[in-house]
């Protein structure tokens, strides 16, 4: 016969209640939430992973879905209904070409060092460009390379994946498509001297639109 002292003082909520808890946390969270964080917030005895999987299946085909963002989860509008959420706004600022190229290189070659970014772009990368991308929280510092000088590497963040609706960096368009769009270039475009590209990189990270 089981010893009554071995039983928990309180029974865990039933599966439906656990599912509701996960739903409430995801709905109220401004940022995606990891399974570990869900587990830590829920009462003892709950299975956050199982409740999350049940909730994800329940939302399939609905107007909103439970989606994975990196190693975390969030409630997001169904992709085919995104047009309903859009509205016309006046864009007064945009990323510079230098920033777009730098961000793309980090996304496709992560983890990469500043020297590697410069080698791919063919021009120097200003500290301001990297600082602004760091402030946007679209890139972050990765591990240092075990090479002379132990240079720091850069990788994209969960915020970057969330902003572009990606589960992970593998969901990015192919390099061929990016080069065709002019976002990745190994050398300056015809008629654009390296000094001109470097000068642009020294400019503002954001530029006013015409």
């Amino acid at each position: 016969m089981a010893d009554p002292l071995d039983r928990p003082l309180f029974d865990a909520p039933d599966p439906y209640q656990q599912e509701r808890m996960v739903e409430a946390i995801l709905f109220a969270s401004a940022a995606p939430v990891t399974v570990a964080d869900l587990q830590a917030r829920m009462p003892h005895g709950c299975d956050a992973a199982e409740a999350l999987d049940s909730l994800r299946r329940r939302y399939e085909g609905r107007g909103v879905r439970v989606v994975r963002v990196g190693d975390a989860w969030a409630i997001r509008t169904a992709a085919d209904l995104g047009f309903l959420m859009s509205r016309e706004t006046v864009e007064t600022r945009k990323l510079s070409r230098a920033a777009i190229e730098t961000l793309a290189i980090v996304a496709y070659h992560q983890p990469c060092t500043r020297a590697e970014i410069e080698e791919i772009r063919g021009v120097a990368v200003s500290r301001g460009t990297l600082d602004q991308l760091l402030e946007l929280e679209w890139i972050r510092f990765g591990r240092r390379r075990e090479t002379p000088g132990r240079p720091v590497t850069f990788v994209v963040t969960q915020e970057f994946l969330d902003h572009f609706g990606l589960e992970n960096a593998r969901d990015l368009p192919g390099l061929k498509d990016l080069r065709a769009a002019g976002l990745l270039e190994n050398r300056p475009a015809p008629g654009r001297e390296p000094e001109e590209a470097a000068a642009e990189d020294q400019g503002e990270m954001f530029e006013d639109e015409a």
Side-chain angles (χ1 to χ4, degrees):
M1 183 175 178
D3 188 341
L5 296 179
D6 290 336
R7 295 183 56 188
L9 294 177
F10 302 99
D11 292 331
D14 62 65
Y16 178 66
Q17 284 298 105
Q18 294 184 42
E19 185 180 321
R20 292 183 66 231
M21 292 177 186
V22 170
E23 182 179 31
I25 293 171
L26 294 183
F27 182 80
S29 298
V33 184
T34 65
V35 174
D37 195 17
L38 288 171
Q39 190 71 52
R41 298 190 197 186
M42 296 170 69
H44 179 74
C46 290
D47 188 333
E50 183 175 338
L52 178 65
D53 187 58
S54 177
L55 183 67
R56 180 185 59 79
R57 293 196 303 270
R58 185 182 298 275
Y59 272 100
E60 287 181 355
R62 302 294 298 272
V64 294
R65 299 185 61 193
V66 176
V67 299
R68 185 168 186 167
V69 181
D71 61 351
W73 295 83
I75 292 178
R76 294 289 183 264
T77 303
D80 62 323
L81 298 179
F83 70 95
L84 296 172
M85 306 299 112
S86 64
R87 61 180 182 179
E88 292 186 3
T89 58
V90 177
E91 289 289 340
T92 58
R93 308 177 80 182
K94 64 180 180 181
L95 285 175
S96 68
R97 182 184 183 86
I100 293 173
E101 290 179 352
T102 300
L103 179 61
I105 291 169
V106 173
Y108 283 94
H109 296 272
Q110 64 177 338
C112 58
T113 65
R114 178 174 178 174
E116 290 167 342
I117 296 171
E118 293 176 341
E119 181 180 359
I120 293 172
R121 288 197 66 218
V123 295
V125 178
S126 75
R127 179 62 184 270
T129 295
L130 292 171
D131 284 346
Q132 290 288 351
L133 290 175
L134 288 167
E135 289 176 11
L136 284 172
E137 297 186 343
W138 281 3
I139 66 172
R140 64 176 177 82
F141 294 115
R143 293 182 178 179
R144 289 184 177 275
R145 282 280 169 79
E146 296 299 326
T147 56
R150 301 193 68 231
V152 68
T153 62
F154 298 94
V155 297
V156 294
T157 63
Q158 185 168 283
E159 286 76 12
F160 168 85
L161 297 176
D162 191 24
H163 181 85
F164 290 100
L166 303 171
E167 181 174 328
N168 55 59
R170 292 189 298 272
D171 295 331
L172 286 163
L175 284 171
K176 183 178 179 181
D177 297 331
L178 214 62
R179 288 196 177 98
L183 296 180
L184 273 184
E185 296 180 325
N186 291 333
R187 294 291 182 271
R192 183 169 177 248
E193 296 298 327
E195 292 78 11
E196 295 176 359
E200 176 191 346
D201 215 352
Q202 296 297 327
E204 292 293 333
M205 174 71 176
F206 293 98
E207 303 171 337
D208 291 337
E209 289 187 354

